[in-house]
Amino acid sequence: MTGALPLPRHRIAPWSWPLVGMRLLAMLAALVACLPLYYVAAPFAARNPVPRWFLRAIAAIAGVRLRLRGAPSAKRTFFVANHVSWIDIPAIAGTTGSAFVAHDGLAQIGPLRWLCGLADTVFVARHDRRSVAGQVEQVRAALRDTGALTIFAEGTTSDGSATLPFKSSLLSALESDPEIPVQPVWLDYGAETRAIAWVGEEPGLDNALRILARVRAVELTIHFLPPLGPDDRADRKRMAAAARAAIEAQKAARPA
């Protein structure tokens, strides 16, 4: 992925590999434990709770220490969040049960597509402007089926020093449904944001392994900001600008 600033390549110290191995084994054990529960629950739950449990476990195994500020506004909500790391996904999903809008490049990786499918991920081709109308309809259908849905409106990860401009095309799905709250979410990794961030030329696997090699906890505060008001929902561009402005204002208000 690309972001605002390239970061230097990090190497994992040899003595950190046992910790990486233990965490990967724990994640595999969580998957093995959750899969039967998923299929048992599937016929009885309109929104299967097992992916939420699994992703919450993944965040905990990765060493994430979560704090929440504010709360999700409703079970049926469209979250608009900044994007720093792969950790963002298990953290938000484990907290809210939200499904996600993801780039269709992930769909090319068989096992990852299968796991994302279990969590009702909506795949879109952001680079293909000709398919925007179809993607908007996908988002509307996902909101009807899954309730909570999250989009990383920057379209990529950043180093967290500033929020990149928000892309507005998929917010068209909310223009005709003012009853669904649009809630900005700020993912705040504090002073270690740049150490966590997946940006520049770093491969995704390298970023994942680097975080799993950390002995120190990953401190993450999820700020659920107030949902956008009617004036900020006049059109998709105003929604995107208002959500970004809310996140930037919360950043500015954080004590130094």
Side-chain angles (χ1 to χ4, degrees):
M1 282 193 179
T2 58
L5 294 173
L7 293 179
R9 185 76 175 265
H10 297 271
R11 294 187 179 277
I12 298 175
W15 54 83
S16 296
W17 282 106
L19 177 59
V20 173
M22 286 189 294
R23 281 177 164 161
L24 289 174
L25 285 174
M27 289 178 178
L28 179 60
L31 177 61
V32 170
C34 286
L35 271 178
L37 295 175
Y38 176 88
Y39 290 109
V40 167
F44 306 103
R47 177 68 175 146
N48 199 314
V50 178
R52 180 177 182 175
W53 303 341
F54 170 68
L55 289 167
R56 185 183 298 173
I58 291 297
I61 293 166
V64 179
R65 187 178 298 163
L66 278 175
R67 299 187 190 90
L68 304 182
R69 298 288 184 269
S73 61
K75 289 184 178 179
R76 193 166 180 239
T77 303
F78 194 87
F79 299 110
V80 183
N82 64 311
H83 198 13
V84 178
S85 167
W86 62 273
I87 293 174
D88 303 345
I89 295 172
I92 291 179
T95 302
T96 67
S98 173
F100 289 84
V101 177
H103 192 281
D104 63 351
L106 295 177
Q108 309 308 313
I109 306 171
L112 190 55
R113 178 184 179 87
W114 172 67
L115 283 172
C116 289
L118 295 180
D120 297 321
T121 301
V122 178
F123 292 107
V124 297
R126 291 183 183 272
H127 60 279
D128 186 1
R129 300 188 64 85
R130 295 170 300 177
S131 64
V132 168
Q135 293 170 18
V136 167
E137 186 50 45
Q138 280 183 272
V139 169
R140 287 177 179 151
L143 280 167
R144 289 193 299 268
D145 295 342
T146 67
L149 190 64
T150 298
I151 184 173
F152 296 118
E154 292 167 292
T156 185
T157 51
S158 76
D159 68 358
S161 59
T163 309
L164 302 177
F166 279 6
K167 302 180 188 302
S168 65
S169 58
L170 296 181
L171 291 171
S172 301
L174 282 300
E175 288 179 334
S176 61
D177 199 342
E179 299 303 313
I180 297 178
V182 178
Q183 186 167 19
V185 177
W186 176 33
L187 298 160
D188 175 18
Y189 290 89
E192 291 203 81
T193 299
R194 292 200 73 216
I196 300 300
W198 172 20
V199 293
E201 299 303 318
E202 182 180 30
L205 180 59
D206 285 11
N207 178 264
L209 293 175
R210 178 163 60 81
I211 291 173
L212 294 179
R214 287 173 57 96
V215 174
R216 248 184 355 264
V218 175
E219 305 283 351
L220 171 57
T221 302
I222 304 180
H223 299 261
F224 292 98
L225 306 180
L228 300 185
D231 291 344
D232 290 327
R233 298 193 55 168
D235 56 57
R236 62 182 177 85
K237 291 186 177 181
R238 195 172 301 183
M239 279 189 267
R244 182 179 183 275
I247 291 171
E248 286 293 277
Q250 188 69 26
K251 281 186 181 182
R254 180 179 61 186

